[in-house]
Amino acid sequence: MNRKQRRDLKYKRSRGTNLNDPEQAQEMLENLPDATLVAGINNSLGILQKRGVIISDWDNKKRELYRLKVFSKKVYFLAAELDRDTQSDSKEGESGEV
């Protein structure tokens, strides 16, 4: 730690949010609006789908989670029933409230 960093700590000066610090990153995420968090989760879901990772419903293993959606301040997950025998990618718009 250099002299400037020690002075900043001593006098409790901050240079903004440091996202490399887990506590500051967590605090930033906790203050985001719900719709922004849902958009981030959808981005992560898209990346996982490109990698071939299937996220299954815990209660019904035949259903695959593929998106979250916000309708009138409520968050819903959209899942499709997988037809693994024919390897069909058809997604039927089934939803359940989170």
Side-chain angles (χ1 to χ4, degrees), residues 1 3-13:
M1 179 179 297
R3 187 171 31 184
K4 174 149 180 44
Q5 291 169 332
R6 277 184 292 207
R7 283 183 193 151
D8 287 345
L9 282 176
K10 182 178 179 181
Y11 298 111
K12 299 188 184 337
R13 289 184 244 166

Side-chain angles (χ1 to χ4, degrees), residues 42-56:
N42 281 333
N43 286 334
S44 297
L45 285 173
I47 292 169
L48 289 171
Q49 289 169 351
K50 286 180 184 176
R51 293 182 181 181
V53 176
I54 296 174
I55 302 173
S56 299

Side-chain angles (χ1 to χ4, degrees), residues 67-84:
R67 189 166 187 194
L68 296 178
K69 194 78 173 165
V70 178
F71 291 112
S72 66
K73 296 185 180 182
K74 290 186 181 180
V75 179
Y76 296 88
F77 70 89
L78 305 175
E81 185 122 349
L82 297 178
D83 187 11
R84 296 194 179 173

